[in-house]
Amino acid sequence: MAEIGQKTLLDSGWLAARSTDVQLTGTQLTTTYPPTSPTSPWMEAVVPGTVLATLVENKVVGDPFYGLENETILDIADSGREYYTFWFFTKFQCKLSGAQHLDLNFRAINYSAEVYLNGHKRVLPKGMFRRHSLEVTDILNPDGSNLLAVLVHPPDHPGSIPPAGGQGGDHEIGKDVATQYVEGWDWIAPVRDRNTGIWDEVSISVTGPVKIIDPHLVSSFFDRYTRVYLHATTELENRSSWVAECSLNIQVTTELEGSVCLMEHLKTQHVSIPPRARIQYTFPQLFFYKPNLWWPNGMGKQSLYNVSITVDVKGHGESDSWGQLFGFRKIESHIDSATGGRLFKVNGQPIFIRGGNWILSDCLLRLSKERYKTDIKFHADMNLNMIRCWGGGLAERPEFYHYCDVYGLLVWQEFWITGDVDGRGVPVSNPNGPLDHDLFMLCARDTVKLLRNHPSLALWVGGNEQVPPADINTALKNDLKLHPFFESQSEYITSVEGLSTAYKDPSQYLDGTRVYIQGSMWDGFANGKGGFTDGPYEIQNPEDPFKDNFYKYGFNPEVGSVGIPVAATIRATMPCEGWQIPLFKKLPNGYTEEVPNPIWQYHKYLPYSKPGKVHDQIELYGTPEDLDDFCLKAQLVNYIQYRALLEGWTSRMWSKYTGVLIWKTQNPWTGLRGQFYDHLLDQTAGFFGCRCAAEPIHVQLNLATYFIEVVNTTAEELSNVAIEASVWDLEGACPYYKVFDKLSLPPKKVVSISEMKYPKSKNPKPVFFLLLKLYHVSNYSIVSRNFYWLHVSGGDYKLLEPYRNKRIPLKITSKTFIKGSSYEVEMKVLNKSKKPDPKTLTYKNNFAVRNDDSDFDMTSLKPIPDTRTDLKQPTGLFQRLYRQFSRESDSLRVAEINGSDGGVAFFLNFSVHGAKLEHEEGEDSRILPVHYSDNYFSLVPGEEMSIKISFKVPPGVSPRVTLRGWNYHHGVHTVL
């Protein structure tokens, strides 16, 4: 028999077939003639996923991510909507007893559907961003075996793709309430089925007579966050024909070390619900004294409490239950008078926003908890603190938000409006937005209810580079109006009782806890008035972001650059014709124009030159010879580009800027621009340049002034620290060394320390390395380490080319911990070159502990069971590993690279591969994803670095870790 409160996912065993290939009705499919196996026209289906995901999985069409194969797939504009109208079929077991009820739930479909269950028809109305819950109690088969068929229809206006492509194709998709990127953009090719399908989870859930619907949790704060109240409101539906006498319980617990739960609150209320009625019930507030607060990444711990609500019905026992991880936090924002940018505060503390733009995880909507966990942890690994969910993509899923809650990423969630598709262009596209405004608002309100309990959700935004039509904008402003607790004057309210009874409890609002901004370039973003003042989106001179004239507004919601991946990704996603690197065409003005091959052009390659403005940044290292050479030099540029962008913005923290969002952090397709990691989940060097620049406490070189600066984004003063600056030449000598000691760094400030004298000295080397270290004087523990390679003004890096032949001796020590398929590896790398002079005790790079990180494994908490592997805290890692990992490898493994040359071991990077005995030619042997505590790093003579690596290994594969670098072409392999 079914269990009350149980939700069962229907995520396997689905079949699919094109509707025109099936001659049976939905009634017949779910009664007398069900499909029994994946034989033509039926095939195994990807659910959740899209029609195209199913076709790709079954190799009915080519892989749209590979080479030019997307061009071989029929576009819906040419095929007609019927071609992508598909049946989906599955079976499930469920047998009810007594007063039990069953709901069939579709968390989202695109775009409309007819549902048949055991011969009975139900309709799922139009709209990509709405939930559907069907009570099917009366149409279940008595024997418990149930047949389900769903006929899914594509969007009503899939549009067509103009020959020149463009942002959103012909913009017809904007007439529907759906994703807009699917007609193609300047970073993605058109998605042929327009994301038609059952693209989010399908489930069945069992309740008793009374059902809990969409609880809303809100916290309010008083006396400087020492007194906190939890407000909770829920809807309750009585499905019986009699008055339901209910005991409604709310319980708040927190999980301690070792999966021990501490009960914080348990309160029971009596509620009577009339027959067939749906009521709203608000609990009395729950009081907490000094609860653990939820903080964004880099500001503190992400403390989460488990809130559960249950309802018991007299005579029937438990009827329904609901649970949510909840964080106590308050997010405020205002337009800063000094910068004109929107300034965010979390729990009263200003936060300098360094984040990224997000499209979606996968353009075939093959969304999974595992991939979401990797995606979001990657953002946390980069030290980012905000993700913007761009308006042409999705209203992101609860699993996405769960991991943002866990890893501390604030989320800017836009609704489904873009300037390109809604109101711009020639002719003007959809000036009044989607055709059905009521449907848009229905989807918007349902999305708010789905996501509003997540502490990571920071703000709602009406659209990308556009505001919604006037009536939609007005409705959103009204629906999302801030409750008085969350307006600026709320700090003068001293208690819940002090708030006028004229105001509703904040949990009775749709959402009154976070600001609504009408568009991405309005009200403190870009120029604040909707002018097209975001960007630029191209290669930059590294010194430019530090200059006064680079960007003149306080908060840039989009600024982007290049993003070529490593060579292995190019080979894995393109045929050999795509392995040809761009031609470097010399122009009369002295600049270089890159001419990419057709496959790169199709995959939206963004050049590393901007003739007339920026010389080719790859060519600064010498003309590349082949794909490997090109991609390695591109990684050098990627690192410099993104470090410079973020360091330039951070250099003007609060004086000129309040935040910046990189366009963009990743690609939902195999695009060749604007990404920190590719679609296969391998990081570019830009990932680690970003990770370096966005440290909470960071030492950096202002590339425009050559002043050393320290950025302290934390709320604590840093005292008794020093900075070590050392310059190293290509011969391994140290011509400049200086320590700046007795420093105190105030909180939330940028401090200019001193001008670097070396480049202005006599006879500076044309190419040199600079190593900056910020450390505690008391114990030489490193707070921040930053390594630059630089050339004199007007020069280039071509002297690094012969430097590749230097054999720098290394010693590599590895220690491995294994639990099942999970590996944690510590790799220590020592540059054995002789130090010119042991002037410093920082060469071992013992990094200080960051106080914002926790040993507590938050991802293991329900409702999404998982195991967090966190590389953010170097100290304490092994204590956790001994506790969590069941087996230690036999002993330390040591590998040595002999070399007679001295100097910097330059641009070292680890990768993890499957150690199969036989590899096919061109086979991609990488194990992905992998989390690295750092990568693409360099070591000066005598310096040692410890790198933590974590990954999971596929069945039957033995992993090996490979170290390569500028001086190490063939790599050093360590079998684990």
Side-chain angles (χ1 to χ4, degrees):
M1 292 298 174
E3 181 180 337
I4 289 291
Q6 174 184 348
K7 183 177 87 169
T8 303
L9 294 180
L10 304 181
D11 57 0
S12 61
W14 286 85
L15 300 174
R18 185 169 283 113
S19 63
T20 53
D21 293 338
V22 177
Q23 307 307 314
L24 300 170
T25 66
T27 300
Q28 291 172 314
L29 289 172
T30 56
T31 52
T32 52
Y33 298 102
T36 56
S37 63
T39 54
S40 183
W42 295 94
M43 65 193 84
E44 293 180 350
V46 178
V47 175
T50 62
V51 168
L52 189 53
T54 289
L55 296 174
V56 171
E57 180 70 17
N58 288 275
K59 295 182 170 51
V60 176
V61 299
D63 181 355
F65 292 75
Y66 187 83
L68 298 177
E69 289 193 14
N70 193 55
E71 287 295 281
T72 69
I73 303 173
L74 196 57
D75 192 83
I76 194 171
D78 302 313
S79 68
R81 293 174 67 248
E82 295 79 9
Y83 185 80
Y84 286 108
T85 300
F86 264 63
W87 280 107
F88 292 86
F89 176 86
T90 193
K91 304 174 183 179
F92 65 87
Q93 291 289 321
C94 185
K95 200 169 186 178
L96 302 179
S97 63
Q100 290 183 338
H101 295 254
L102 186 75
D103 289 312
L104 173 60
N105 310 298
F106 296 84
R107 207 165 64 181
I109 56 101
N110 189 27
Y111 186 61
S112 62
E114 292 104 54
V115 175
Y116 293 84
L117 180 62
N118 301 328
H120 298 269
K121 181 181 178 181
R122 299 286 188 271
V123 173
L124 303 185
K126 297 174 183 179
M128 186 173 179
F129 303 108
R130 62 188 296 184
R131 295 169 294 170
H132 307 271
S133 186
L134 308 174
E135 187 181 358
V136 294
T137 307
D138 296 336
I139 58 176
L140 296 178
N141 281 335
D143 65 359
S145 298
N146 300 281
L147 306 178
L148 173 64
V150 185
L151 181 63
V152 181
H153 300 278
D156 291 347
H157 302 88
S160 59
I161 314 303
Q167 314 290 76
D170 66 357
H171 308 133
E172 282 293 293
I173 195 70
K175 294 179 178 177
D176 297 329
V177 183
T179 52
Q180 297 185 354
Y181 79 94
V182 289
E183 282 200 65
W185 225 267
D186 59 6
W187 40 265
I188 194 170
V191 181
R192 300 307 186 186
D193 68 344
R194 307 295 190 266
N195 281 165
T196 300
I198 305 174
W199 69 273
D200 200 2
E201 70 172 36
V202 185
S203 65
I204 54 173
S205 53
V206 180
T207 71
V210 174
K211 179 182 179 182
I212 297 170
I213 301 173
D214 290 332
H216 187 196
L217 307 176
V218 173
S219 50
S220 59
F221 302 88
F222 306 95
D223 293 344
R224 297 185 178 182
Y225 300 89
T226 60
R227 295 192 301 116
V228 179
Y229 292 88
L230 176 65
H231 307 258
T233 294
T234 186
E235 291 185 75
L236 299 167
E237 182 181 26
N238 181 5
R239 295 172 160 187
S240 71
S241 56
W242 32 265
V243 175
E245 300 295 339
C246 304
S247 293
L248 190 60
N249 308 295
I250 185 168
Q251 175 179 294
V252 182
T253 61
T254 184
E255 192 166 344
L256 304 178
E257 193 77 25
S259 299
V260 176
C261 286
L262 174 66
M263 178 80 71
E264 298 273 356
H265 269 288
L266 175 62
K267 184 168 285 190
T268 301
Q269 303 295 124
H270 179 265
V271 183
S272 295
I273 308 176
R276 308 291 182 191
R278 186 164 170 166
I279 68 166
Q280 185 182 76
Y281 179 80
T282 301
F283 287 90
Q285 298 95 347
L286 302 180
F287 173 71
F288 294 77
Y289 180 68
K290 291 186 176 179
N292 295 323
L293 300 181
W294 183 95
W295 292 95
N297 187 35
M299 291 186 73
K301 296 180 181 179
Q302 291 76 52
S303 299
L304 294 171
Y305 291 75
N306 206 331
V307 180
S308 61
I309 296 174
T310 59
V311 59
D312 293 355
V313 176
K314 187 176 180 180
H316 295 274
E318 184 174 308
S319 183
D320 201 4
S321 63
W322 175 90
Q324 175 73 38
L325 287 177
F326 182 75
F328 290 106
R329 65 96 183 97
K330 184 177 183 180
I331 296 178
E332 306 164 273
S333 68
H334 65 273
I335 297 176
D336 177 48
S337 58
T339 64
R342 183 159 291 273
L343 191 154
F344 287 85
K345 289 184 177 182
V346 179
N347 303 330
Q349 292 287 338
I351 175 172
F352 187 72
I353 298 297
R354 292 176 291 188
N357 284 270
W358 167 270
I359 309 302
L360 66 158
S361 187
D362 176 74
C363 71
L364 302 189
L365 303 186
R366 296 167 296 191
L367 311 178
S368 70
K369 296 173 186 175
E370 293 75 18
R371 178 148 187 138
Y372 273 137
K373 180 181 179 182
T374 298
D375 279 321
I376 304 308
K377 190 177 186 313
F378 273 176
H379 286 74
D381 288 347
M382 287 187 282
N383 291 312
L384 300 180
N385 55 28
M386 179 177 277
I387 297 178
R388 173 193 173 210
C389 294
W390 176 72
L394 297 180
E396 266 301 353
R397 302 296 89 194
E399 292 77 17
F400 171 94
Y401 277 90
H402 168 77
Y403 288 113
C404 288
D405 294 344
V406 165
Y407 290 115
L409 274 300
L410 297 171
V411 183
W412 158 335
Q413 179 67 64
E414 282 178 7
F415 295 106
W416 318 285
I417 296 288
T418 67
D420 298 278
V421 174
D422 300 287
R424 285 199 348 231
V426 180
V428 173
S429 61
N430 305 312
N432 202 31
L435 296 179
D436 190 337
H437 289 198
D438 290 337
L439 174 60
F440 187 99
M441 284 307 303
L442 186 153
C443 290
R445 291 176 179 123
D446 197 57
T447 295
V448 172
K449 291 178 180 179
L450 178 68
L451 303 177
R452 62 189 176 185
N453 292 317
H454 288 279
S456 56
L457 178 55
L459 70 159
W460 302 103
V461 177
N464 164 62
E465 300 178 338
Q466 183 61 290
V467 297
D471 58 326
I472 292 178
N473 197 28
T474 298
L476 289 170
K477 286 181 179 179
N478 291 334
D479 284 358
L480 300 173
K481 183 179 179 181
L482 288 175
H483 187 278
F485 274 144
F486 301 94
E487 295 174 347
S488 58
Q489 67 266 27
S490 67
E491 60 191 72
Y492 302 109
I493 302 171
T494 59
S495 68
V496 173
E497 295 77 18
L499 194 63
S500 169
T501 54
Y503 295 109
K504 295 188 295 185
D505 184 281
S507 63
Q508 294 176 4
Y509 278 48
L510 178 65
D511 185 6
T513 68
R514 42 183 70 86
V515 70
Y516 167 75
I517 304 296
Q518 59 185 339
S520 68
M521 299 187 299
W522 278 258
D523 304 323
F525 299 124
N527 75 348
K529 302 175 183 178
F532 296 110
T533 46
D534 45 11
Y537 306 93
E538 58 203 12
I539 192 75
Q540 304 295 325
N541 293 306
E543 65 274 15
D544 287 351
F546 294 88
K547 295 179 178 178
D548 291 337
N549 61 354
F550 184 68
Y551 188 76
K552 63 181 180 179
Y553 305 106
F555 193 120
N556 193 343
E558 298 182 13
V559 60
S561 189
V562 291
I564 200 76
V566 297
T569 292
I570 298 292
R571 291 191 176 95
T573 57
M574 296 179 184
C576 57
E577 295 86 349
W579 304 354
Q580 300 300 313
I581 64 175
L583 298 175
F584 288 77
K585 181 181 176 182
K586 293 294 182 183
L587 302 178
N589 61 2
Y591 287 86
T592 296
E593 177 187 355
E594 292 184 12
V595 182
N597 69 63
I599 299 178
W600 283 31
Q601 192 166 10
Y602 189 79
H603 284 256
K604 315 295 184 179
Y605 173 70
L606 185 65
Y608 282 66
S609 65
K610 181 71 175 176
K613 181 181 178 184
V614 181
H615 285 284
D616 195 288
Q617 297 294 290
I618 289 177
E619 224 177 10
L620 290 180
Y621 298 88
T623 303
E625 296 178 356
D626 54 23
L627 181 65
D628 291 294
D629 192 28
F630 180 93
C631 289
L632 178 58
K633 288 172 177 173
Q635 299 318 309
L636 290 163
V637 181
N638 290 343
Y639 194 106
I640 290 176
Q641 277 289 293
Y642 287 107
R643 179 176 60 181
L645 273 177
L646 286 169
E647 286 184 341
W649 246 270
T650 307
S651 179
R652 306 297 184 89
M653 180 176 71
W654 312 133
S655 63
K656 187 178 180 182
Y657 300 127
T658 60
V660 61
L661 301 178
I662 299 295
W663 181 268
K664 46 193 184 3
T665 56
Q666 49 75 243
N667 273 310
W669 180 66
T670 45
L672 299 180
R673 62 168 60 200
Q675 58 188 355
F676 289 128
Y677 59 95
D678 59 48
H679 191 263
L680 303 184
L681 300 177
D682 200 355
Q683 299 97 327
T684 72
F687 182 108
F688 298 97
C690 169
R691 176 182 174 83
C692 172
E695 293 174 304
I697 302 171
H698 181 62
V699 61
Q700 65 183 40
L701 180 68
N702 185 311
L703 295 179
T705 66
Y706 261 64
F707 269 75
I708 297 171
E709 301 170 338
V710 179
V711 179
N712 181 5
T713 68
T714 74
E716 304 295 329
E717 182 176 5
L718 199 63
S719 58
N720 197 25
V721 293
I723 295 172
E724 173 191 284
S726 58
V727 170
W728 300 81
D729 63 23
L730 298 184
E731 303 304 317
C734 181
Y736 177 89
Y737 179 89
K738 187 170 180 60
V739 173
F740 306 90
D741 55 8
K742 298 179 181 179
L743 301 178
S744 291
L745 307 173
K748 309 286 184 182
K749 296 286 186 182
V750 179
V751 179
S752 184
I753 303 298
S754 177
E755 185 180 10
M756 271 291 298
K757 301 299 183 183
Y758 177 75
K760 295 183 177 180
S761 63
K762 292 181 180 179
N763 302 317
K765 298 298 177 73
V767 175
F768 58 95
F769 304 112
L770 169 65
L771 178 59
L772 300 177
K773 291 185 180 182
L774 174 68
Y775 63 94
H776 292 288
V777 173
S778 59
N779 59 6
Y780 293 93
S781 61
I782 306 296
V783 179
S784 173
R785 177 186 183 276
N786 201 349
F787 181 89
Y788 295 84
W789 52 102
L790 301 163
H791 60 72
V792 294
S793 179
D796 57 38
Y797 294 113
K798 288 186 172 66
L799 285 177
L800 283 174
E801 188 63 34
Y803 188 73
R804 296 172 91 158
N805 298 319
K806 284 219 171 192
R807 310 313 298 163
I808 312 297
L810 293 181
K811 179 180 179 181
I812 305 160
T813 306
S814 66
K815 193 171 185 65
T816 304
F817 297 84
I818 305 168
K819 182 181 180 182
S821 62
S822 297
Y823 280 67
E824 292 273 1
V825 185
E826 182 184 37
M827 306 291 295
K828 286 188 176 179
V829 186
L830 169 67
N831 182 341
K832 294 172 61 181
S833 300
K834 183 179 178 181
K835 298 186 294 294
D837 185 5
K839 299 173 181 176
T840 173
L841 296 177
T842 67
Y843 62 90
K844 283 189 174 294
N845 286 322
N846 294 316
F847 282 84
V849 177
R850 264 176 50 181
N851 294 325
D852 60 298
D853 297 319
S854 172
D855 278 350
F856 186 31
D857 187 352
M858 294 303 298
T859 54
S860 65
L861 295 180
K862 293 180 179 180
I864 301 178
D866 219 328
T867 302
R868 176 174 179 178
T869 302
D870 196 343
L871 295 177
K872 293 193 290 181
Q873 183 173 345
T875 303
L877 175 71
F878 287 105
Q879 180 183 354
R880 292 203 306 278
L881 292 177
Y882 279 124
R883 187 171 65 243
Q884 294 179 3
F885 282 71
S886 58
R887 178 167 66 89
E888 180 184 338
S889 64
D890 296 338
S891 62
L892 291 174
R893 297 177 184 236
V894 179
E896 300 216 18
I897 301 175
N898 295 320
S900 58
D901 296 318
V904 171
F906 183 51
F907 214 53
L908 304 170
N909 73 284
F910 283 109
S911 55
V912 182
H913 301 260
K916 290 167 59 178
L917 294 177
E918 296 182 6
H919 284 290
E920 296 180 13
E921 185 178 354
E923 180 183 356
D924 187 2
S925 65
R926 289 173 298 172
I927 292 174
L928 298 170
V930 180
H931 295 278
Y932 302 93
S933 62
D934 201 0
N935 219 350
Y936 294 97
F937 60 99
S938 302
L939 297 175
V940 303
E943 195 180 19
E944 183 178 67
M945 182 79 80
S946 178
I947 305 294
K948 311 297 192 304
I949 305 173
S950 68
F951 53 92
K952 288 188 175 180
V953 174
V957 174
S958 297
R960 59 180 170 87
V961 176
T962 297
L963 177 68
R964 288 189 171 88
W966 192 253
N967 311 99
Y968 311 96
H969 319 297
H970 302 294
V972 183
H973 309 293
T974 302
V975 179
L976 303 179

